[in-house]
Amino acid sequence: MTNVDIPADTEQRGAWPHRLAVLLVCATFPLIWVGGLVTTYDAGMAVPDWPSTYGYNLFLYPWQTWVSGPWDLFIEHGHRLLGATVGMLAIAAMVTIVWKDSRRWVKVLSVIALTAVCLQGVLGGQRVLWNNRQIAQLHGVFGPVCFCLFVSLAVVTSQWWRATGRTGDSLQIGNMSARGAVGATVLSGCALVQLILGSQLRHVMGGAGGAGFRVALLFHLVLAAVIFAQTVWLVAIHLAATSRDGVKSVALSLMFLVLLQVGLGLATWVLKYYWPAWAEGAWFARPFTIVNESMPQSLVVTGHVATGSLILAMSVKLALRSWRLCRPANINARPPLNVKGTTLTMGVAL
Amino acid sequence: MQRNINRFLWLLLPVLVATGCDAPEARFRMNMAYLHKNEKKAEAFTAEQKADVANILAALFGTPDQPHLPQGAGLEDVISIDRLKMAAGPVGVDEQGIATGLYRQHCSHCHGVSGDGNGPTAAYLNPYPRDYRMGIFKFKSTGKGTPPTHEDLLRILYEGVPGTAMPSFRLLPDIEREAIVDYVKYLAIRGQVERRLMEDIAIELGPGERLDQSGEYLVGEIVASAVAKWSAAEEEVTEVPARPDDWNESAAIARGRELFHGAVANCVKCHGETQLGDGQRTDYDEWSKDYEDFSKPMTDQEKQKLVDELVELGGLPPRNIFPRNLREGIYRGGRRPEELYRRITNGIDGTPMPAATMKPDDAPEQQQGLTAADVWCIVDYIRSLPYEPGGERATYGQEFKRERM
């Protein structure tokens, strides 16, 4: 953290709210990974009861049995342990924020985040108790929503957020048009819908017939193109502008992640469904044998899921920061921003 | 807050439903394409006749969640009901912690719940996933027209089909693969019985006449005749004689090349002068031809109409089958020499790849056919192809022509 002199009585005291929020984000990311693995290996029902594990309290389940047990039990119980950890971190973060942060809306946000993560835990439990795949899917989609909330907490409690808001560097603020912020917000929405579509594709079951899969696949591909284009556009407008501390780098990371994600998506298809007919015979399309649930397959597929969440998180960060830069430091002192003829009063909600 | 979240969940719901996540109770789909084909032969089936087929099948074989086996047709010797139950049903674990629903977990998104080869992903795959309902399989140790053995199906699950979307399931425990194999047989036999019932309505019965509902006819005749072939498969395995002792590999390859291009084996006709599989590329496989022989001369409009009809009836648009590119060294049915030996002597069931005409070792030179030693020569030649220099499309073909002239 950079050393900025912060008067003790403003917005927030100490670095703990931010530290905990960041820790929360860091713990949630592997949680999503492992959750993805649970789906990849269809291990959701490896432990048939909940909230207990084979009758044991979650934390008292003999670790020897867990570690040396079958793989699906290992990841399902691991997912539960991690989930419980994230829940406790969320409580810690909420308490610290409510206690230390002076901004009412940040307190509210932290409570929302905690509620969400509790709900998510309950969804996961119901999925097991009812052995229900629809709930599993909802659980899979709601995970990234929680992740977004945690990322938001981390962003708004950060040093950057306070420094930007208070110093009110006129250059920075004046430069930032609402276009970028609106774009990043739309992008966040697209990234979330894309995750939902992706989970549709992963939960494809023979029973539902082909139509659902086809529709989901089509939209998944179209949306991938849209997200790609949006990201290129965002990077372009941020690179063109002069002083964009804190958004340029985020936009570039996002670009990197989107490119990676396209590659992982293609690899996922090839490792699960083989080369498409049009690629066969091309120099890169080496023939091979697909091995179900092999290490490369699982890593790539789960990596695709995890990168999806990262893109969502990164776009939320970009959106929040962009809105922050749009916002006049002191609403009373500055006229509302004028964007292309429309008068916008941004950031009132924040 | 709670309200907001609830609202969010409600907002999410239409999206989920719209993209079809609702998992209705799994049901077997009727073989509508074959039904319609039989209707074309005679008259349209009445509603009762159709219902009869569905009811008889349900009575004999149960449902995807509750499969059962008709007694008295010797089916117990081919399929174990315990293993069947492991593979059937929705994905989950039973009270003893044993995985169930293996077929729906691992196979149905490609092969379909009914084993019709038309699962959600099927349309995007080439070749299409296998439709088990004709009882025809490609890669097996038995001859054309004979079902695969238990070991053959286990081998497919273990090895997968290299070069296609069919994965290897070698990471599953043995008992799970065994269970799934039984389920595949179950779907195949069920599909064959379904076809037979439809044929009987079209051919044996008068218009509107109902099927005989007696066990004697249904189990004793129809099921039993399908099962008989499956239980006989083990005895039908093609013997692979050992290579002669004085085997000279380079001489064998040279002779194999000659045979490959010769009139008797005539492999070039399909696999091409270049062995790139660029010979005959206009034929279809049996699954594509099931509804209608699309290789017959017909106009584009006629073909389009038939394709639309077929798709409407739950089939997949037919695709041409291409002979294998033998220079890649990828053998879908396995690359061991014995496997290739059988591939040549037995052909590939369901595809244009023919079974070789065989003759005894001591047959006179001029008699049509290949001896076991000839087939071994072709095997060695084929296995040498991926390593042969100058495998380029243009150069190789020309060089070869010059050499032969």
Side-chain angles (χ1 to χ4, degrees):
Chain A
M1 284 200 181
T2 44
N3 232 336
V4 176
D5 185 27
I6 308 163
D9 58 347
T10 48
E11 292 183 341
Q12 134 186 12
R13 278 165 292 154
W16 275 105
H18 183 61
R19 280 184 197 150
L20 278 170
V22 169
L23 198 61
L24 187 57
V25 170
C26 292
T28 310
F29 185 58
L31 179 61
I32 290 182
W33 257 88
V34 179
L37 277 176
V38 171
T39 301
T40 307
Y41 288 104
D42 249 305
M45 293 307 295
V47 181
D49 51 347
W50 186 86
S52 49
T53 291
Y54 283 107
Y56 283 92
N57 173 302
L58 176 63
F59 295 103
L60 301 181
Y61 187 69
W63 64 270
Q64 296 94 333
T65 329
W66 171 50
V67 171
S68 62
W71 174 240
D72 52 353
L73 170 71
F74 179 74
I75 51 180
E76 169 65 10
H77 187 65
H79 184 59
R80 291 177 179 202
L81 284 176
L82 254 176
T85 313
V86 164
M88 288 186 296
L89 276 174
I91 295 173
M94 196 268 296
V95 169
T96 328
I97 287 171
V98 167
W99 174 34
K100 293 265 189 181
D101 204 301
S102 53
R103 295 164 295 177
R104 208 180 108 80
W105 63 271
V106 178
K107 294 182 185 181
V108 171
L109 185 65
S110 72
V111 175
I112 292 181
L114 180 61
T115 317
V117 77
C118 291
L119 193 74
Q120 172 69 347
V122 171
L123 269 178
Q126 297 308 309
R127 178 259 178 277
V128 172
L129 292 182
W130 298 93
N131 187 8
N132 180 318
R133 275 174 183 268
Q134 262 141 290
I135 303 184
Q137 217 169 354
L138 205 56
H139 180 68
V141 170
F142 201 58
V145 174
C146 296
F147 191 47
C148 282
L149 287 169
F150 302 158
V151 170
S152 309
L153 274 184
V155 172
V156 302
T157 52
S158 68
Q159 180 70 38
W160 182 93
W161 188 271
R162 280 176 287 155
T164 310
R166 190 178 31 262
T167 51
D169 175 341
S170 60
L171 222 192
Q172 227 178 16
I173 293 162
N175 254 351
M176 182 78 201
S177 74
R179 272 190 319 163
V182 171
T185 310
V186 173
L187 180 62
S188 309
C190 290
L192 183 62
V193 174
Q194 186 71 332
L195 277 188
I196 300 177
L197 288 170
S199 90
Q200 281 292 318
L201 293 177
R202 274 164 67 67
H203 284 269
V204 48
M205 282 292 123
F213 182 81
R214 265 162 238 178
V215 173
L217 181 63
L218 182 70
F219 279 103
H220 197 63
L221 294 178
V222 169
L223 207 51
V226 169
I227 290 175
F228 185 83
Q230 279 175 321
T231 312
V232 169
W233 176 74
L234 282 172
V235 167
I237 61 169
H238 288 309
L239 283 186
T242 39
S243 170
R244 286 290 166 80
D245 293 350
V247 285
K248 213 181 267 185
S249 57
V250 180
L252 283 174
S253 321
L254 196 55
M255 189 73 246
F256 167 75
L257 286 174
V258 168
L259 283 173
L260 177 72
Q261 183 69 338
V262 170
L264 284 171
L266 294 174
T268 296
W269 183 273
V270 171
L271 288 182
K272 277 193 80 86
Y273 300 122
Y274 204 66
W275 296 105
W278 51 261
E280 259 172 286
W283 58 270
F284 54 86
R286 309 295 311 155
F288 69 104
T289 310
I290 297 174
V291 179
N292 190 52
E293 294 179 359
S294 62
M295 210 39 144
Q297 195 191 55
S298 312
L299 282 180
V300 166
V301 173
T302 314
H304 189 55
V305 175
T307 309
S309 312
L310 267 190
I311 289 178
L312 180 58
M314 201 57 90
S315 53
V316 167
K317 183 172 173 182
L318 184 63
L320 287 173
R321 284 194 167 187
S322 304
W323 285 118
R324 183 65 167 173
L325 287 179
C326 283
R327 182 196 177 197
N330 179 341
I331 282 201
N332 303 325
R334 299 175 61 84
L337 278 182
N338 203 316
V339 186
K340 278 201 181 152
T342 16
T343 306
L344 290 170
T345 336
M346 232 78 59
V348 219
L350 293 189
Chain B
M1 277 154 286
Q2 188 69 49
R3 279 250 313 280
N4 281 345
I5 291 161
N6 278 336
R7 203 170 298 160
F8 173 78
L9 288 180
W10 284 115
L11 280 178
L12 217 56
L13 214 61
V15 183
L16 292 178
V17 172
T19 43
C21 88
D22 54 321
E25 197 198 345
R27 290 198 296 143
F28 286 129
R29 243 190 309 193
M30 192 181 266
N31 191 342
M32 292 312 288
Y34 199 63
L35 189 140
H36 194 61
K37 182 181 177 175
N38 278 290
E39 288 184 325
K40 282 185 181 172
K41 276 194 223 154
E43 17 253 285
F45 286 18
T46 62
E48 288 93 40
Q49 285 176 323
K50 286 184 200 167
D52 279 350
V53 174
N55 293 338
I56 291 172
L57 284 172
L60 292 174
F61 294 98
T63 63
D65 288 345
Q66 230 100 50
H68 71 82
L69 296 175
Q71 298 297 308
L75 207 48
E76 318 71 72
D77 302 335
V78 179
I79 299 171
S80 130
I81 184 76
D82 293 335
R83 292 203 295 231
L84 193 61
K85 293 227 161 101
M86 231 178 118
V91 185
V93 281
D94 65 9
E95 297 82 46
Q96 285 101 47
I98 296 175
T100 58
L102 298 169
Y103 181 79
R104 255 180 265 170
Q105 176 177 354
H106 296 300
C107 321
S108 67
H109 55 283
C110 290
H111 290 281
V113 169
S114 325
D116 55 8
N118 194 0
T121 62
Y124 302 101
L125 310 180
N126 189 6
Y128 290 134
R130 182 75 59 257
D131 173 354
Y132 308 133
R133 296 169 309 173
M134 292 172 89
I136 303 178
F137 294 82
K138 286 184 186 174
F139 307 113
K140 56 203 170 74
S141 57
T142 57
K144 280 208 171 179
T146 309
T149 65
H150 192 76
E151 266 60 47
D152 287 337
L153 290 175
L154 277 178
R155 195 199 66 84
I156 288 286
L157 283 197
Y158 190 86
E159 303 283 354
V161 181
T164 76
M166 170 69 195
S168 154
F169 290 90
R170 68 183 61 151
L171 299 175
L172 291 185
D174 289 347
I175 52 157
E176 296 193 0
R177 274 197 308 274
E178 294 268 359
I180 298 174
V181 161
D182 274 12
Y183 199 77
V184 170
K185 291 192 214 168
Y186 161 81
L187 289 175
I189 293 174
R190 184 187 174 281
Q192 288 173 300
V193 168
E194 179 180 29
R195 292 169 71 89
R196 181 60 202 280
L197 291 172
M198 291 174 178
E199 286 161 19
D200 280 7
I201 293 180
I203 299 165
E204 310 284 332
L205 301 184
E209 218 178 310
R210 310 275 296 265
L211 280 166
D212 178 359
Q213 306 268 354
S214 71
E216 210 176 311
Y217 162 73
L218 294 177
V219 180
E221 196 181 321
I222 296 192
V223 179
S225 71
V227 172
K229 285 193 166 176
W230 284 87
S231 36
E234 314 286 334
E235 280 115 60
E236 300 279 325
V237 172
T238 307
E239 292 296 330
V240 180
R243 282 193 181 91
D245 292 333
D246 53 342
W247 196 249
N248 173 336
E249 192 167 320
S250 54
I253 290 176
R255 169 127 178 89
R257 170 189 311 229
E258 214 168 286
L259 289 163
F260 190 92
H261 294 83
V264 178
N266 201 11
C267 315
V268 273
K269 180 180 144 217
C270 297
H271 293 281
E273 289 284 356
T274 57
Q275 293 81 40
L276 291 162
D278 53 0
Q280 175 190 303
R281 288 167 76 90
T282 51
D283 211 344
Y284 293 89
D285 61 25
E286 293 299 316
W287 297 275
S288 286
K289 282 180 183 171
D290 185 34
Y291 182 62
E292 186 68 55
D293 186 353
F294 289 94
S295 64
K296 284 193 315 208
M298 57 173 89
T299 64
D300 284 350
Q301 285 102 318
E302 281 168 342
K303 181 169 175 200
Q304 192 52 50
K305 188 173 154 281
L306 284 168
V307 172
D308 292 346
E309 241 172 64
L310 176 57
V311 170
E312 185 69 17
L313 293 165
L316 289 160
R319 287 200 198 115
N320 286 116
I321 184 162
F322 297 150
R324 190 83 68 254
N325 172 358
L326 296 175
R327 290 188 175 272
E328 272 186 334
I330 293 286
Y331 306 108
R332 296 187 184 172
R335 49 199 270 275
R336 280 183 283 272
E338 315 81 69
E339 287 166 334
L340 287 173
Y341 182 96
R342 289 205 180 101
R343 202 112 312 119
I344 296 170
T345 55
N346 293 348
I348 300 179
D349 216 351
T351 79
M353 164 90 182
T357 319
M358 299 298 288
K359 66 177 181 187
D361 286 345
D362 50 4
E365 185 76 22
Q366 60 278 22
Q367 187 181 330
Q368 276 280 323
L370 303 173
T371 64
D374 288 343
V375 175
W376 276 124
C377 290
I378 300 180
V379 169
D380 282 358
Y381 170 60
I382 287 177
R383 280 160 53 88
S384 76
L385 278 174
Y387 308 101
E388 197 171 78
E392 294 297 315
R393 194 180 284 266
T395 54
Y396 181 78
Q398 269 144 29
E399 212 171 276
F400 189 74
K401 270 187 202 127
R402 241 178 284 131
E403 195 181 286
R404 277 175 55 99
M405 268 187 248

